[in-house]
Amino acid sequence: MSDASLAADALPVGRPTGHRTVARGESAVVRVVLIGVGLGFLALFLALPLAIVFLEAFARGWGAYRAGIADPDSLSAIQLTLLVAAITIPINVVVGIAGAWAVAKHEFRGKSVLVSLIDLPFSVSPVIAGLVYVLLFGAQGYLGPFLKSQGLQIIFALPGIVLATLFVTFPFIARELIPHMQALGNADEEAALTLGASPWRTFLMVTLPNIKWSLLYGVLLCNARAMGEFGAVAVVSGKIRGLTTTMPLHVEILYNEYMSVAAFAVASLLALLALVTLAAKTFLEWRYADEIVATRRH
């Protein structure tokens, strides 16, 4: 047996050789079938529904589409959706970083409880979360009479929508940061503190640059969920048309009133915002791929 054959046999399964990967036990037919199943699933359950949304939105031409978007109630829903996202994302950034920092960088009694609380919105139905806020802050709730005496309205107003959106979006940033911070460890921060840097300067100059890509991914996911949330917001908003309806709620109202073109027009705009978010994430991954990999391996 030649030296080349011995070297080839010594290669582990799956080890890259040049630009190819040696894979054993997997035929071309299996790869084609798996790829076909994956692409077929994506086409049937993702691409096709998305295409139908845009086809229905433009079914009666550009004029009808523009009229559906330019309607005062639609514009109000768009503005409210963007406003809620603009409020909730900065709050989630601050709270998410603080929660991830506590979990990843410190050991303390009750740490498992904190992790469970971070994951709680994943296991609780958004509708239940909305009902809890109604029980707390509604007119007949535990805090409702006091809030009313102070001239404060939470439910059926912007504060209630923000609270509901915060609840459902809270885990995304923290959950994106925790494993990354745990992998990084404390060595860089300890070195900076040893050299005389203050805790705040250490965070800005050391920790934040190390976690910036994970933080950005968390923000993108948080933004997509904030703009698309329906269940919790539907409960606390009261669906007051032109006042407390976000884009998802407004789509439902229009569709129930058999205004399908306007409903799909607003839905297409919501889908377009999601696609822009996905495109931004993909571009950043492509543009800064080397830096992202280097940060992940730090």
Side-chain angles (χ1 to χ4, degrees), residues 172-270:
F172 289 96
I173 292 178
R175 264 298 160 198
E176 188 69 29
L177 291 177
I178 288 174
H180 191 189
M181 283 186 170
Q182 289 174 332
L184 289 173
N186 299 327
D188 289 350
E189 287 83 359
E190 291 174 353
L193 293 173
T194 302
L195 293 173
S198 65
W200 180 243
R201 183 175 179 82
T202 300
F203 172 77
L204 291 179
M205 304 302 294
V206 178
T207 304
L208 191 58
N210 285 341
I211 65 171
K212 62 182 179 180
W213 296 116
S214 297
L215 178 61
L216 180 59
Y217 291 156
V219 168
L220 291 174
L221 293 173
C222 180
N223 178 65
R225 181 61 189 273
M227 292 191 298
E229 174 55 30
F230 180 87
V233 173
V235 175
V236 302
S237 68
K239 297 182 182 180
I240 304 174
R241 189 165 183 166
L243 293 176
T244 63
T245 52
T246 58
M247 292 173 68
L249 301 182
H250 189 58
V251 169
E252 184 202 30
I253 292 174
L254 292 173
Y255 191 78
N256 289 337
E257 294 178 351
Y258 302 101
M259 302 174 64
S260 60
V261 173
F264 280 108
V266 178
S268 70
L269 188 60
L270 190 60

Side-chain angles (χ1 to χ4, degrees), residues 36-104:
V37 170
L39 292 177
F41 180 87
L42 293 175
L44 182 61
F45 293 101
L46 294 178
L48 182 59
L50 189 62
I52 291 175
V53 168
F54 286 96
L55 288 175
E56 291 293 330
F58 289 97
R60 297 184 183 176
W62 171 253
Y65 179 86
R66 184 175 57 185
I69 297 295
D71 179 76
D73 291 339
S74 297
L75 293 176
S76 175
I78 295 170
Q79 292 172 0
L80 180 60
T81 301
L82 297 177
L83 176 61
V84 170
I87 295 173
T88 56
I89 290 174
I91 296 175
N92 273 322
V93 167
V94 174
V95 178
I97 291 176
W101 181 279
V103 171

